Amino acid sequence: LLADKGYAHDSTRMALRRRGIRHVIPERRDQQDRRAAKGSRGGRPPDFDRHAYKQRNVVERCFNRLKQWRDLATRYAKRAAIYRASLVLIAAVIWLS
């Protein structure tokens, strides 16, 4: 699971760990400061893979490009097959441009 700093709550991290879901969520500055203020009792920082987090940007930019197509973003298509076909067509147009 790749998530933004907005999902960096301790409760979110614990819920993901309980379910066995690996996550890449950066630690917020206030969380880092709070952990540092506790000294050795603050524990170690959560595992964070910078390379994987950078790949999140690629996915977000793709969604932003797809949202520019109004019929896809507002889900005008009534049937899933037609929606998927329009998604594939739009993805091809984006890829070719």
Side-chain angles (χ1 to χ4, degrees), residues 36-87:
K38 290 182 179 180
S40 62
R41 294 178 313 142
R44 54 176 205 241
D47 191 25
F48 181 68
D49 185 1
R50 288 191 187 280
H51 179 69
Y53 188 72
K54 286 181 181 180
Q55 295 302 315
R56 181 183 143 270
N57 183 26
V58 175
V59 175
E60 279 194 16
R61 284 187 294 163
C62 176
F63 277 114
N64 287 333
R65 295 278 306 268
L66 290 172
K67 283 195 270 184
Q68 291 176 358
W69 295 81
R70 184 174 166 187
D71 62 334
L72 188 70
T74 55
R75 182 84 196 255
Y76 282 139
K78 301 289 185 218
R79 295 192 177 124
I82 296 171
Y83 182 77
R84 184 179 184 280
S86 63
L87 175 64

Side-chain angles (χ1 to χ4, degrees), residues 27-44:
E27 194 176 28
R28 291 190 323 253
R29 174 53 92 197
D30 66 324
Q31 291 174 331
Q32 292 173 356
D33 294 342
R34 183 181 54 197
R35 194 171 30 77
K38 290 182 179 180
S40 62
R41 294 178 313 142
R44 54 176 205 241

Side-chain angles (χ1 to χ4, degrees), residues 86-97:
S86 63
L87 175 64
V88 170
L89 181 64
I90 292 168
V93 168
I94 290 173
W95 182 65
L96 290 173
S97 62

